[in-house]
Amino acid sequence: MTDRTAALTSSDPPQRPAALPSLTGLRWLAALFVFLAHASMLSGPNRPDAPISFFADQDLAKTLADFFEPGFVMVSFFFLLSGFVLTWSARPGEPATAIWRRRFLKIYPNHIVVFAFAMWLFASSEPVRAWLPNLFLLHTWSNKPEVISSVNLPAWSLCVEVFAYALLPLLLVLVRRIKDNKLWLWAGAMVAGVVGVPAVTQLLVTGGIPVPMYDLSMNQVWFSYGFPPARLFEFMLGMVLARIVAAGLWPRKLGMSVSIVLVAGGYWLSFALPYPYKFYTGTIIPFAVLVCAAAARDLRGEGGWLASRPMVYLGNVSFAFYVTQGVVMFYGRPKVWGDHTYGVIPALGQLVVLFLANLLAGWLLYRFVETPIMRRFSRSRKRTTPAAPHSPEAAPVAGAV
């Protein structure tokens, strides 16, 4: 079958990959879910003695916190989505330096601006050994809690993205060489790798202080959840899936309706799974089906509301919306509201206010930092291949929960 992107195999002439706006819309929905997961936390990392949830009814607050507890599965979704989109939009013959430049400019300016605000507002007292790795997005290579949780806590997931981006030129070469009739085998191998990480964690990883809420040691939580190489399987699964969709191998019967049911079932399964399997194994296949079904629907011209202009715009803002949550929510909520909680209706109103504040902060970062920098510096003036149209750039959005 014809490769729809025409950019995923090195032998093809340079062509523009088809746009997949529904994936950008999905990215916003996932980012919104992360916000709700953070907003339902009973307490935050900056002020463990102050609530994050606005609900005074402790039973209701705990019910919401329990429901959103597996919000960490969205990390897996974004890693998979990043691999898919970056493979889909890759241009043949593009030098590694061009790839690295765009990825650097996508992440670091936003990160540095928010890092500076966090240091100014609340993190300046942290020791250099804690905040310096955070500045360079190397902090989850450490297994020390004070380093992993330093400064802007949501930035932990960016460490995984930076690692994947560093390897991206090599990974693109490898994935492009997979024959079409082997793609499903490789996808299965990546899923097996995802499931294998928690198994290896339980068998081989020891040491560290106990973490009672996970029934694991700190080293086990770190290795299975934050250690960058352990999360590479999700990124690579997305890359292989992009090849599958591009080659026209995705079965049409696995559409959006099926994927939504699978995602709901996978999320429910996450409640029953033990840690560290709970982190991603229940949803990895449902998320794979969702991303592929949405991409295939775009290729058929059936994008629907996910591909609408408002959803695409919000999806483009979603990275900035995510990365500002550590300042707006974890610092701003206790600073502005203190430990006040409210009845159901007022609490919902305060939640809307917090959401709008976070969205405003994200929009300002997107409008005045991310957009001008990407437009001015992301592409070389000496271009050997035609530029791709606007495509759903993989924003490294993930939950800190």
Side-chain angles (χ1 to χ4, degrees):
M1 295 185 178
T2 303
D3 187 324
R4 295 289 190 99
T5 68
L8 298 182
T9 56
S10 58
S11 61
D12 287 329
Q15 297 181 30
R16 292 182 175 184
L20 303 176
S22 291
L23 298 189
T24 311
L26 279 176
R27 197 172 73 202
W28 167 248
L29 293 182
L32 179 60
F33 192 93
V34 170
F35 170 84
L36 293 174
H38 285 161
S40 68
M41 294 169 63
L42 299 180
S43 63
N46 295 75
R47 284 276 310 277
D49 59 325
I52 293 293
S53 173
F54 285 108
F55 293 92
D57 185 329
Q58 290 303 298
D59 290 336
L60 176 58
K62 188 175 187 309
T63 297
L64 291 172
D66 289 344
F67 175 79
F68 284 108
E69 182 199 358
F72 40 64
V73 299
M74 288 303 166
V75 178
S76 186
F77 176 82
F78 285 111
F79 293 160
L80 186 153
L81 183 65
S82 291
F84 188 105
V85 170
L86 291 177
T87 304
W88 187 271
S89 60
R91 299 194 294 273
E94 185 176 33
T97 52
I99 296 173
W100 289 329
R101 180 178 63 247
R102 281 202 309 277
R103 294 299 93 209
F104 177 91
L105 293 172
K106 182 70 176 180
I107 288 183
Y108 277 98
N110 279 3
H111 165 65
I112 290 171
V113 169
V114 178
F115 178 94
F117 269 98
M119 290 293 287
W120 173 49
L121 292 171
F122 59 86
S124 60
S125 61
E126 295 183 6
V128 174
R129 68 178 183 276
W131 63 254
L132 189 60
N134 186 291
L135 175 62
F136 292 102
L137 295 178
L138 298 172
H139 51 297
T140 61
W141 289 89
S142 169
N143 64 347
K144 294 179 172 58
E146 66 274 16
V147 176
I148 296 172
S149 61
S150 61
V151 193
N152 184 34
L153 182 59
W156 78 265
S157 64
L158 306 189
C159 295
V160 178
E161 295 282 354
V162 166
F163 175 65
Y165 296 163
L167 297 178
L168 183 59
L170 173 61
L171 296 178
L172 284 171
V173 172
L174 297 176
V175 170
R176 285 167 176 165
R177 290 180 178 176
I178 301 173
K179 295 180 179 179
D180 285 1
N181 62 357
K182 301 291 186 183
L183 286 170
W184 284 107
L185 180 63
W186 274 88
M190 294 304 102
V191 171
V194 172
V195 177
V197 169
V200 170
T201 299
Q202 289 186 320
L203 290 172
L204 300 179
V205 180
T206 59
I209 61 174
V211 184
M213 67 178 295
Y214 297 139
D215 195 25
L216 298 170
S217 71
M218 182 60 207
N219 283 353
Q220 289 175 320
V221 175
W222 162 73
F223 181 84
S224 59
Y225 191 63
F227 186 47
R231 307 307 298 263
L232 195 61
F233 290 107
E234 293 143 282
F235 187 88
M236 291 186 65
L237 174 60
M239 298 183 73
V240 175
L241 291 173
R243 284 285 321 275
I244 288 173
V245 173
L249 299 175
W250 186 255
R252 185 162 184 168
K253 62 183 179 182
L254 292 179
M256 290 298 291
S257 298
V258 173
S259 67
I260 291 170
V261 172
L262 288 175
V263 168
Y267 191 78
W268 175 82
L269 178 61
S270 297
F271 288 100
L273 289 171
Y275 291 103
Y277 294 91
K278 187 189 289 281
F279 289 139
Y280 35 68
T281 57
T283 51
I284 187 61
I285 292 177
F287 284 156
V289 175
L290 177 63
V291 169
C292 292
R297 191 171 69 167
D298 278 345
L299 291 178
R300 296 193 300 268
E302 303 170 358
W305 68 277
L306 276 175
S308 64
R309 292 183 66 180
M311 290 298 293
V312 170
Y313 188 81
L314 287 169
N316 288 330
V317 176
S318 62
F319 172 37
F321 173 74
Y322 163 72
V323 80
T324 54
Q325 287 182 24
V327 172
V328 174
M329 193 181 308
F330 297 153
Y331 171 79
R333 191 306 192 202
K335 187 70 174 179
V336 174
W337 284 273
D339 59 357
H340 294 293
T341 54
Y342 307 88
V344 174
I345 300 303
L348 289 173
Q350 300 300 332
L351 182 60
V352 170
V353 172
L354 184 65
F355 166 76
L356 292 175
N358 206 147
L359 183 60
L360 176 62
W363 177 81
L364 290 172
L365 192 64
Y366 171 75
R367 175 64 179 82
F368 296 105
V369 178
E370 180 180 333
T371 298
I373 287 177
M374 290 295 291
R375 285 178 177 171
R376 175 64 180 85
F377 299 108
S378 67
R379 299 190 186 281
S380 172
R381 295 181 182 274
K382 297 180 179 179
R383 189 178 295 150
T384 57
T385 58
H390 178 74
S391 58
E393 287 281 355
V397 185
V401 291

